Amino acid sequence: MDNVFQFRDQLIERYGSFSRSFVRIAAPDIQAEVEHQYAKGRYWPEPLVQINPNYQRQGTVQDLVAEGVLHPACADIFQVGKTEGKPSPLHLYKHQMEALAKGQERQSYVVTTGTGSGKSLSFFIPIIDRILKAKDSDGKARTRAIVIYPMNALANSQLEELDKFLHGYAPEHRPFTVKRYTGQESQTERRAIADDPPDILLTNFMMLEYILTRFDEVDRRVVEHCEGLEFLVLDELHTYRGRQGADVALLVRRLRERLKAEQLVCIGTSATMSSTGLHVVSCGKQHCHWGIAGANGLAGRCLSLDMRR
């Protein structure tokens, strides 16, 4: 396509010819009026030209590793183009840097930014960084992060994306492990997760409710491996509203009590929420810190909210 405007004119000409092919108008005056209306462009809008701003970039993961902000292994993990055999540094946006800073300060936060702006990396980078650093001092296998998705399809898609970052690592040498536990798994897969807990568990809120309340031996062991949970992520946070939102809020409180997660960092993401008129409700017993990391247009913004129960 050499010229998008020429393409638009050709497309409209063909569509106009197609739409007029069903009727033959015998009256010359009516035929003339129809042709006049088509020529005026009555049936389609004028071309729309918009500027699509890019999100503001602020360095790469590799820069942060060199500065000692991230674990050294992050430089190899977080690269783009690994599956194509052309690995290159992963550039970060301003709101991702803000989210990383909050995660490392053990503050809870919400990332609200447009589709395709790297919301998942806004929580996976601080989570994986924390996992790698914790493993250096404590080699005990346990689940340190749970990510809750409203739909299994989102969990499946995220698992595939994380596998791209693990490309090239032998299974026994992977720097971190991630598994899905959504109810789609076979008994063998569930038992394998109970026997060898992953660092990150992808699930949905209904499955999380089940494993907290059922007396199944496999589910019980999965929960036990999550004791002392450090991160809880709610993806697509805007879907949890009304009665379902109340149910999930209670679930988070029960989860925190059951897992003795006194220092739990809660993270939310959404492409359709705004920090304007934000109403924040505490979901924990202790003093909490919530932040809003936003990315509207060229720059993001970060708002910290300090609250008590």
Side-chain angles (χ1 to χ4, degrees), residues 173-225:
H173 294 132
R174 289 189 167 191
F176 69 92
T177 55
V178 56
K179 294 294 182 181
R180 183 193 63 193
Y181 204 80
T182 59
Q184 306 172 77
E185 297 73 33
S186 65
Q187 182 65 21
T188 301
E189 291 173 318
R190 292 173 57 231
R191 192 169 295 279
I193 292 173
D195 293 338
D196 185 16
D199 298 311
I200 303 172
L201 193 66
L202 311 182
T203 187
N204 57 64
F205 75 93
M206 288 298 297
M207 190 63 187
L208 193 56
E209 180 83 49
Y210 286 150
I211 65 176
L212 283 177
T213 55
R214 292 194 302 197
F215 291 95
D216 181 82
E217 183 265 341
V218 172
D219 290 341
R220 180 179 55 79
R221 286 198 292 139
V222 170
V223 172
E224 288 175 353
H225 289 311

Side-chain angles (χ1 to χ4, degrees), residues 55 93 113-119:
Y55 294 98
Y93 297 126
T113 176
T115 301
S117 59
K119 288 188 294 299

Side-chain angles (χ1 to χ4, degrees), residues 117-144:
S117 59
K119 288 188 294 299
S120 296
L121 288 177
S122 296
F123 59 82
F124 273 123
I125 291 178
I127 288 174
I128 293 171
D129 174 62
R130 169 59 186 160
I131 290 170
L132 296 173
K133 290 175 179 177
K135 282 186 170 183
D136 286 344
S137 57
D138 179 12
K140 180 182 177 182
R142 67 184 183 91
T143 299
R144 299 179 184 272

